[in-house]
């Protein structure tokens, strides 16, 4: 059995079709079909049912898949460990992250990552949605909130705070609310992708409450939400580490800052359980955690201090 055929089988299962696996490898579908046939011949059993409705695992195929993944993980860990001893961590690391987090946190950290580990390569998938890490071949997902899954490992690498902001143009036309109750009379920007982001925690002491945003405008992308605010379309809740530099240059204005009581949100690097020990993945996460501690933490701490004073 060839490990290349085994790896191809795993991707066929994860992607769901032979044609998708062929496109990913940039080879004809016939080549993928022959590789699958070789495996089934060597196993002496059919691994996949093929029908007009798609592919499904046989019992033998399910058993083979579990062992195949372990074989590939052992190979990857061995190769990474050997190459790491010689030249440091190397290879591609595919990372899933929201667009705004990519822009504010991940991209600025990459130059120093490449200086530290020149053999590493990062493939950024920037999207607010929660990805299927195994199916989409994701090594690291940067998320707020720890995932509840036995197949995933999560490491906290930073904390973020979010507050309300508007543009100077919006303030000039509509003014600023001075109390959370006045938000109902303002144009608000909501998030259509993640319902929890439409619950704004506002108030002081026992009067603190969640304000539910319906909004005149909304988007499923946090980077687009920021752009909507910058163009004067309303008030939105934005990550402080993104917004505060824009406040400093006069592009954004804080809204109800003294009423913000939201606790810092932990940021996690999430990995598949069987891959989190790979040197290339550990190197990326260690670097991100160090970089965020040096660069992002002061903003986060300042935000927490303001929040403490408001309480």
């Amino acid at each position: 059995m060839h490990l290349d055929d085994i790896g191809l089988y795993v991707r066929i299962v994860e992607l769901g079709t032979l044609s998708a696996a062929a496109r990913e490898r940039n080879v004809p579908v016939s080549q993928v079909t022959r590789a699958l046939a070789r495996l089934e011949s060597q196993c002496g059993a059919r691994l996949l049912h093929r029908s007009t409705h798609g592919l499904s695992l046989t019992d033998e195929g399910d058993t083979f898949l579990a062992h195949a993944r372990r074989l590939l993980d052992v190979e990857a860990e061995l190769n990474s460990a050997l190459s790491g001893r010689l030249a440091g961590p190397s290879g591609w690391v595919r990372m899933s992250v929201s667009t705004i987090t990519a822009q504010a946190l991940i991209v600025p950290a990459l130059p120093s990552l490449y200086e530290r580990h020149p053999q590493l390569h990062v493939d950024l998938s920037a999207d607010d949605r929660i990805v299927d890490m195994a199916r989409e071949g994701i090594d690291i997902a940067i998320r707020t909130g720890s995932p509840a899954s036995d197949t995933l490992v999560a490491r906290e690498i930073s904390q973020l705070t979010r507050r309300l902001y508007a543009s100077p143009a919006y303030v000039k036309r509509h003014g600023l609310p001075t109390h959370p109750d006045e938000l109902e009379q303002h144009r608000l920007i909501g998030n259509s992708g993640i319902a929890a982001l439409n619950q704004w925690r506002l108030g002081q002491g026992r009067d603190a409450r969640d304000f539910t945003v319906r909004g005149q405008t909304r988007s499923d992308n946090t980077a687009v939400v920021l752009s909507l605010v910058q163009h004067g379309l309303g008030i939105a809740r934005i990550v402080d580490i993104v917004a505060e530099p824009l406040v400093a240059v006069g592009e954004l204005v804080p809204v109800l800052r003294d009423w913000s009581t939201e606790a810092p949100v932990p940021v996690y690097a999430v990995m598949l359980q069987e891959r989190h020990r790979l040197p290339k993945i550990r190197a990326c996460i260690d670097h991100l955690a160090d970089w965020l501690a040096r660069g992002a933490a002061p903003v986060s701490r300042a935000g927490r201090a303001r929040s403490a004073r408001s309480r």
Side-chain angles (χ1 to χ4, degrees), residues 4 8 11-12 15 17-34:
D4 189 61
L8 182 56
R11 290 306 288 155
I12 291 170
L15 295 171
T17 66
L18 300 179
S19 59
R23 284 194 300 273
E24 183 176 79
R25 291 203 171 196
N26 196 27
V27 299
V29 176
S30 58
Q31 185 172 323
V32 175
T33 303
R34 287 195 298 272

Side-chain angles (χ1 to χ4, degrees), residues 119-167:
Q119 303 303 315
L120 283 180
H121 308 279
V122 175
D123 179 354
L124 280 179
S125 175
D127 196 321
D128 283 4
R129 68 188 175 88
I130 302 298
V131 298
D132 183 328
M133 296 184 66
R135 179 179 177 81
E136 299 182 40
I138 299 297
D139 295 306
I140 303 169
I142 306 299
R143 296 176 181 170
T144 54
S146 180
S149 172
D150 293 337
T151 64
L152 299 175
V153 174
R155 173 181 168 184
E156 184 176 338
I157 59 173
S158 188
Q159 292 187 333
L160 295 177
T161 53
R162 299 186 182 100
R163 284 183 174 75
L164 305 187
Y165 295 89
S167 72

Side-chain angles (χ1 to χ4, degrees), residues 9 43 94 174 184 193 201 228:
Y9 171 75
C43 291
R94 184 162 167 77
H174 304 285
E184 294 284 2
R201 187 70 174 171
L228 291 169

Side-chain angles (χ1 to χ4, degrees), residues 89-299:
S90 63
W92 282 97
V93 177
R94 184 162 167 77
M95 194 178 301
S96 172
V97 60
S98 73
T99 308
I100 201 164
T101 302
Q103 293 171 343
L105 301 183
I106 307 304
V107 172
L110 291 184
S112 52
L113 172 67
Y114 291 151
E115 288 179 10
R116 190 173 179 181
H117 303 296
Q119 303 303 315
L120 283 180
H121 308 279
V122 175
D123 179 354
L124 280 179
S125 175
D127 196 321
D128 283 4
R129 68 188 175 88
I130 302 298
V131 298
D132 183 328
M133 296 184 66
R135 179 179 177 81
E136 299 182 40
I138 299 297
D139 295 306
I140 303 169
I142 306 299
R143 296 176 181 170
T144 54
S146 180
S149 172
D150 293 337
T151 64
L152 299 175
V153 174
R155 173 181 168 184
E156 184 176 338
I157 59 173
S158 188
Q159 292 187 333
L160 295 177
T161 53
R162 299 186 182 100
R163 284 183 174 75
L164 305 187
Y165 295 89
S167 72
Y170 177 88
V171 175
K172 185 176 180 179
R173 287 195 301 270
H174 304 285
L176 281 175
T178 58
H179 189 278
D181 290 344
E182 297 174 17
L183 284 174
E184 294 284 2
Q185 283 74 54
H186 280 265
R187 297 183 179 186
L188 307 179
I189 300 171
N191 190 298
S192 56
I194 305 174
L197 294 182
N198 295 318
Q199 298 294 320
W200 297 352
R201 187 70 174 171
L202 298 168
Q204 296 175 328
R206 294 182 179 180
D207 295 330
R209 63 186 179 88
D210 286 329
F211 178 85
T212 301
V213 177
R214 292 172 179 85
Q216 181 185 37
T217 311
R218 61 187 182 183
S219 172
D220 63 354
N221 186 297
T222 48
V224 173
V225 169
L226 173 60
S227 183
L228 291 169
V229 174
Q230 289 176 301
H231 283 81
L233 289 165
I235 298 169
R237 191 173 64 163
I238 302 169
V239 175
D240 285 344
I241 195 171
V242 174
E244 287 301 315
L246 298 175
V247 171
V249 296
E251 293 185 22
L252 289 183
V253 177
V255 177
L256 294 175
R257 173 163 280 174
D258 291 340
W259 293 84
S260 278
T261 58
E262 184 178 288
V265 178
V267 179
Y268 292 94
V270 181
M271 303 146 282
L272 292 170
Q273 191 174 54
E274 62 271 19
R275 295 184 63 79
H276 78 281
R277 292 187 301 272
L278 294 179
K280 65 178 182 180
I281 294 176
R282 288 205 310 268
C284 278
I285 294 174
D286 288 345
H287 178 78
L288 284 175
D290 291 345
W291 189 88
L292 291 170
R294 293 194 308 271
V299 175

